[in-house]
Amino acid sequence: MNNIKIVPMNADHLESLERLERICFSRPWSRKMLAEELENQCAAFLVAEDAVTGNVLGYAGLLVAADEGYITNVAVFPEQRRRGIAGQLLQVFLNFAEANRLAFLTLEVRPSNAAAIALYQGFGFQEAGRRKNYYDLPKEDALILTRRFDGEAAQ
């Protein structure tokens, strides 16, 4: 984990991130969609790089509206998983949320993705609901997980 650095996404990352999207998601974001986030003042996209080689290992995206944060993407190349990369990316967003007094962070994940759910729950995210048949290929619900910062813990 010491050989990982977290940096803001820039245009040099787009090719690797587009490839990562195609590997990880059934409805991947295109390079154009990712590039548009570079100009979005309400977005923060972070990239985990190998500190020695500069290779992209993973990334995560956050959209902020008023005091609400929405984690849009968390992806790590399969050969880089189980190294704490996703956790490091999430920790940066948690620190940002607390420092900027966001009320909550929310994200969606497939109920079948037990490893991701365990990771998110380890960071204090709790189930807030489901979206029926949200995902394609295969058709699956989306589990909505939320981490609150406003003192009103989910019951």
Side-chain angles (χ1 to χ4, degrees), residues 4-9 17 20 44-49 56-62 71 73-77 84-96 105 119-120 123:
I4 298 167
K5 65 179 181 176
I6 307 296
V7 299
M9 178 177 74
L17 297 181
L20 179 57
F45 278 69
L46 300 174
V47 176
E49 293 180 338
V56 171
L57 307 173
Y59 90 112
L62 173 68
I71 297 174
N73 313 46
V74 177
V76 175
F77 279 104
I85 296 167
Q88 287 185 47
L89 291 162
L90 285 171
Q91 188 61 60
V92 173
F93 287 156
L94 290 169
N95 294 346
F96 174 87
L105 288 177
L119 172 70
Y120 302 139
F123 279 95

Side-chain angles (χ1 to χ4, degrees), residues 8-121:
M9 178 177 74
N10 65 53
D12 293 338
H13 296 124
L14 296 177
E15 182 178 341
S16 294
L17 297 181
E18 181 181 42
R19 186 166 34 92
L20 179 57
E21 280 281 322
R22 281 187 263 124
I23 291 168
C24 293
F25 302 112
S26 63
R27 296 174 121 188
W29 287 24
S30 66
R31 182 184 307 211
K32 182 179 185 286
M33 292 168 73
L34 291 162
E36 288 171 352
E37 295 306 323
L38 291 170
E39 305 301 321
N40 184 347
Q41 296 299 311
C42 296
F45 278 69
L46 300 174
V47 176
E49 293 180 338
D50 182 293
V52 176
T53 66
N55 290 338
V56 171
L57 307 173
Y59 90 112
L62 173 68
L63 296 177
V64 177
D67 66 345
E68 303 172 356
Y70 299 91
I71 297 174
T72 60
N73 313 46
V74 177
V76 175
F77 279 104
E79 64 275 11
Q80 300 298 329
R81 292 180 185 158
R82 308 292 188 266
R83 292 184 54 205
I85 296 167
Q88 287 185 47
L89 291 162
L90 285 171
Q91 188 61 60
V92 173
F93 287 156
L94 290 169
N95 294 346
F96 174 87
E98 290 175 340
N100 289 278
R101 304 184 66 115
L102 297 186
F104 63 84
L105 288 177
T106 217
L107 55 82
E108 296 172 349
V109 63
R110 290 177 183 267
S112 63
N113 192 343
I117 292 168
L119 172 70
Y120 302 139
Q121 288 176 336

